[in-house]
Amino acid sequence: MSSVSPIQIPSRLPLLLTHEGVLLPGSTMRTSVDSARNLQLVRSRLLKGTSLQSTILGVIPNTPDPASDAQDLPPLHRIGTAALAVQVVGSNWPKPHYTLLITGVCRFQIVQVLKEKPYPIAEVEQLDRLEEFPNTCKMREELGELSEQFYKYAVQLVEMLDMSVPAVAKLRRLLDSLPREALPDILTSIIRTSNKEKLQITLIDSISINFRCCELEERFKMTIPLLVRQIEGLKLLQKTRKPKQDDDKRVNIYFNPFQV
């Protein structure tokens, strides 16, 4: 298994408030931007920024941005996902809006909101530091067993898909090249899961690095049943369809282009 290069996000992040979809580290998502603060964020940071750092946003899930910047911010989720803005597409019809293609990098915790206008900026603490897991947690026995169990289910699921599809073949290779700690987020982002389930996985967090092993155990425990459910669903689908039909093997998969 190859090691992951250390990821370091800025200590201050502009916050993009999203009410549809949940972005997980390693996954890619399209989101629409048409509210006051989110529009200001895109115009000020993404369209005028000239550095890679200017494309890093803090994505706060399940939190609608007020329609007007005169309104107060709603209560913010404490845990969000830092993301790279990969693409920005704008349109003026039927009203000014942008569509962002964003890729999750890692989780963060809001320490404090520094300002709310023209768009929110927060001081944040990075939570996911994958390179620290082996040295910090020592991969306790239970965690090692959960990791291996998850990996076996992940391989079983991927091998039920159409391996002739390049994205599926790439995912199979990633299972062996990525650290096991990254797999729950990657697999959860591509299998059939509800926003509520993704949100629960996103909000698993720890206050200090001493608890990260427990955090990872919980993430494995929550995502293994999701994998099993998807596997059983595919098995049932295969039984009810004719052999020549292989739609059950096809799945929409989005990869983090910065991860490989």
Side-chain angles (χ1 to χ4, degrees):
M1 229 177 331
S2 64
S3 60
V4 171
S5 299
I7 298 171
Q8 184 66 48
I9 63 173
S11 60
R12 296 185 177 188
L13 287 178
L15 302 182
L16 181 75
L17 309 185
T18 60
H19 65 279
E20 53 183 23
V22 178
L23 182 69
L24 293 171
S27 67
T28 298
M29 180 179 78
R30 291 189 186 276
T31 185
S32 180
V33 172
D34 58 9
S35 56
R37 287 182 175 87
N38 282 347
L39 284 171
Q40 284 290 343
L41 188 158
V42 171
R43 290 165 180 163
S44 301
R45 294 278 299 198
L46 301 184
L47 299 185
K48 295 182 180 179
T50 58
S51 66
L52 176 63
Q53 181 170 316
S54 69
T55 68
I56 301 178
L57 312 173
V59 181
I60 303 298
N62 203 33
T63 306
D65 185 29
S68 167
D69 60 5
Q71 297 175 274
D72 293 335
L73 280 178
L76 302 179
H77 277 284
R78 191 167 59 97
I79 306 300
T81 300
L84 281 169
V86 180
Q87 183 184 67
V88 183
V89 178
S91 174
N92 287 319
W93 189 89
K95 63 178 182 178
H97 71 277
Y98 297 94
T99 299
L100 302 186
L101 182 65
I102 51 179
T103 296
V105 176
C106 65
R107 289 176 181 80
F108 66 86
Q109 170 182 286
I110 294 178
V111 177
Q112 62 174 328
V113 176
L114 301 175
K115 70 174 187 175
E116 297 188 5
K117 296 179 181 180
Y119 52 85
I121 295 178
E123 179 184 351
V124 301
E125 177 188 0
Q126 184 171 337
L127 294 178
D128 295 334
R129 299 178 185 273
L130 298 181
E131 73 280 3
E132 294 178 356
F133 273 116
N135 294 331
T136 304
C137 297
K138 306 302 183 182
M139 292 297 284
R140 294 203 306 255
E141 183 177 351
E142 182 180 359
L143 180 57
E145 292 175 357
L146 285 170
S147 169
E148 187 62 28
Q149 184 182 13
F150 184 94
Y151 172 77
K152 289 179 179 178
Y153 280 125
V155 170
Q156 181 182 351
L157 173 61
V158 172
E159 291 183 347
M160 294 175 71
L161 305 176
D162 187 353
M163 296 298 292
S164 67
V165 176
V168 176
K170 185 176 183 179
L171 177 57
R172 179 63 185 87
R173 294 192 298 270
L174 286 179
L175 292 182
D176 291 324
S177 61
L178 291 176
R180 300 284 171 85
E181 298 92 330
L183 295 185
D185 287 329
I186 297 293
L187 270 294
T188 301
S189 68
I190 65 172
I191 63 178
R192 192 181 299 254
T193 52
S194 67
N195 282 344
K196 181 179 179 180
E197 290 168 330
K198 289 179 181 177
L199 189 60
Q200 288 173 336
I201 292 170
T202 297
L203 296 182
I204 296 176
D205 67 294
S206 57
I207 302 303
S208 94
I209 197 169
N210 295 327
F211 295 101
R212 285 190 181 153
C213 207
C214 296
E215 168 198 342
L216 192 53
E217 286 178 9
E218 288 302 311
R219 194 164 287 134
F220 277 123
K221 288 177 180 178
M222 287 185 65
T223 51
I224 285 175
L226 301 180
L227 282 182
V228 173
R229 184 181 68 190
Q230 186 79 12
I231 290 170
E232 294 304 316
L234 282 177
K235 287 179 178 178
L236 181 61
L237 199 58
Q238 289 171 344
K239 289 180 180 179
T240 57
R241 288 189 172 185
K242 296 179 181 179
K244 67 178 180 179
Q245 293 178 308
D246 58 2
D247 289 344
D248 54 306
K249 288 187 172 185
R250 297 189 177 272
V251 61
N252 291 325
I253 298 177
Y254 297 94
F255 289 104
N256 178 351
F258 303 93
Q259 191 170 21
V260 293

